[in-house]
Amino acid sequence: MEHEKETIPGSVWALTIGVVITIISIWVGQNNGLMPEQASEQAPLVDNFFNLMVIIGTALFLLVEGAIIFAAIKYRKPKGDNTDAAPIKGNLPLEVFWTAIPAIIVIILGIYSVDVYKEMGGLEIGHEAMMAHHHSETKIAMVPGSEMTAPLIDKTQGTEIASSKIGVGASPLREGKLADLVVNVTGLQFAWLFNYQDLGIMSGQLHVPVGKDVLLNITAKDVIHAFWVPQFRLKQDAIPGEETQLRFVATKPGNYPIVCAELCGSYHGGMRSEIIVHTPEEYDAWLEENQVASKQQDLKEAVAVKSSDRSNSEFLAPYAEEIGIDHNSLAQLQQ
Ligand code: CUA
């Protein structure tokens, strides 16, 4: 062992490798580019959490794969050596070590994720339902024994029961305040309908003003759907006979996809709509245009006024036969 003095000590190697892996992992975590753009107040919260998981995942990947490749090269079988390697069985300190580290990581991620969920408003759902109990709701009910053929629109003064609410409520900043805009959302095979009850507007697309506190009351007419806006990092099931909610503030004007994220039938893949986040001026213009449109008695005139959008019945028409909704029922959905 006369060359002993010239080798680099293992601790120095470990430190160097640790620093390099940490730097690479943090860089990958911050620059992974896996998420779409951020368009709601909740989006950065989710992304910070996601990026931390990418940092940890990258570090573990480099460590484990690096060790495998290093060992495969350094300890490969010498030529002509056909003997078995020395048997190794059990190493308690090592096993404690590699059990403790993942356990600590999982606990940290668990606590952090609950904090993110709280900041998003996930834990304020009950309080808020009690605050907003006086709004009325439209439920689309089915006639018993005639599923899919005759949906009825049943307007009732709804009374919210706090305990039955699920979803994302007000962020801690807005807890106890009423939302600026309330929209009732109905998922049905295979479309989303948005009912601005207080404003008398029914739309196939969701229009919201930027920077305002928006509350969606979500339900479904037929089967379970899921309302998902990737750019908002928000997703909520739409459940028949149950009202869920999503509360958000959009931070960036633009058009973002609304995607159904629950397999709901043969056209699930086509069950998409759009959320249009307007500047305040644009939103007022849209309101004015559509409040006029909704007052028109003749459905066709109403459709003509908002010719830039596809109306709900237009959207559904190609599928009407497939899903067993007749044209009268389609017309009814407009009301
Ligand atoms: Cu609705 Cu998938």
Side-chain angles (χ1 to χ4, degrees):
M1 283 298 189
E2 55 185 296
H3 297 297
E4 184 89 34
K5 282 173 196 161
E6 290 166 27
T7 58
I8 298 168
S11 56
V12 173
W13 272 117
L15 184 68
T16 309
I17 290 168
V19 168
V20 170
I21 287 182
T22 304
I23 290 170
I24 293 173
S25 302
I26 290 173
W27 186 87
V28 171
Q30 299 299 320
N31 298 280
N32 59 66
L34 293 170
M35 290 296 213
E37 68 180 302
Q38 300 175 339
S40 79
E41 279 187 353
Q42 282 102 335
L45 299 169
V46 174
D47 288 8
N48 289 342
F49 181 61
F50 178 77
N51 291 347
L52 175 65
M53 291 197 291
V54 173
I55 290 171
I56 294 169
T58 305
L60 286 175
F61 176 81
L62 292 175
L63 205 62
V64 171
E65 296 305 310
I68 290 174
I69 291 168
F70 174 80
I73 293 168
K74 167 125 179 152
Y75 303 111
R76 68 189 185 279
K77 183 170 81 79
K79 257 202 174 116
D81 180 0
N82 289 323
T83 58
D84 285 336
I88 297 172
K89 185 168 171 285
N91 185 331
L92 189 62
L94 190 60
E95 283 165 16
V96 169
F97 179 74
W98 74 40
T99 306
I101 287 185
I104 291 167
I105 290 173
V106 167
I107 289 168
I108 290 171
L109 290 180
I111 292 169
Y112 184 20
S113 71
V114 170
D115 185 61
V116 167
Y117 195 53
K118 181 170 171 261
E119 289 297 310
M120 290 174 73
L123 303 181
E124 301 304 331
I125 196 85
H127 302 264
E128 184 182 2
M130 281 184 279
M131 289 300 301
H133 63 90
H134 59 268
H135 91 270
S136 57
E137 61 190 80
T138 298
K139 284 217 171 98
I140 300 177
M142 307 297 298
V143 174
S146 61
E147 288 82 16
M148 303 310 301
T149 55
L152 290 179
I153 296 176
D154 170 30
K155 293 204 177 191
T156 50
Q157 291 299 116
T159 311
E160 312 283 334
I161 300 156
S163 61
S164 75
K165 279 276 190 173
I166 44 174
V168 170
S171 69
L173 278 177
R174 295 190 177 76
E175 196 187 344
K177 290 183 188 151
L178 289 176
D180 298 321
L181 172 66
V182 178
V183 183
N184 295 334
V185 180
T186 305
L188 73 161
Q189 291 169 318
F190 296 93
W192 293 104
L193 297 179
F194 302 98
N195 185 7
Y196 296 66
Q197 182 132 342
D198 303 335
L199 303 164
I201 296 174
M202 186 74 139
S203 173
Q205 292 166 318
L206 180 56
H207 295 254
V208 300
V210 71
K212 293 286 184 192
D213 190 9
V214 180
L215 173 64
L216 303 181
N217 291 315
I218 304 171
T219 189
K221 189 181 76 85
D222 35 38
V223 298
I224 299 175
H225 304 270
F227 180 95
W228 179 36
V229 182
Q231 283 76 2
F232 286 16
R233 313 289 190 271
L234 288 174
K235 187 192 276 177
Q236 179 57 56
D237 276 0
I239 306 166
E242 179 103 29
E243 203 170 72
T244 55
Q245 69 175 44
L246 267 188
R247 191 159 163 174
F248 61 88
V249 176
T251 51
K252 218 177 186 181
N255 294 18
Y256 309 102
I258 295 168
V259 182
C260 179
E262 187 74 57
L263 183 60
C264 56
S266 45
Y267 290 92
H268 158 71
M271 188 169 162
R272 281 166 163 261
S273 182
E274 235 182 353
I275 177 163
I276 297 110
V277 179
H278 293 286
T279 61
E281 304 79 48
E282 273 177 8
Y283 181 71
D284 289 343
W286 177 81
L287 272 189
E288 209 167 308
E289 184 184 338
N290 283 270
Q291 278 174 315
V292 170
S294 69
K295 282 180 192 130
Q296 307 270 1
Q297 287 301 306
D298 189 332
L299 182 64
K300 277 172 192 157
E301 277 181 52
V303 170
V305 170
K306 49 169 189 172
S307 55
S308 58
D309 302 342
R310 269 201 302 181
S311 77
N312 304 316
S313 56
E314 271 182 308
F315 180 89
L316 288 170
Y319 310 123
E321 205 174 325
E322 180 84 23
I323 63 181
I325 294 181
D326 60 35
H327 291 284
N328 290 337
S329 304
L330 279 186
Q332 217 174 0
L333 287 173
Q334 288 284 338
Q335 286 161 4

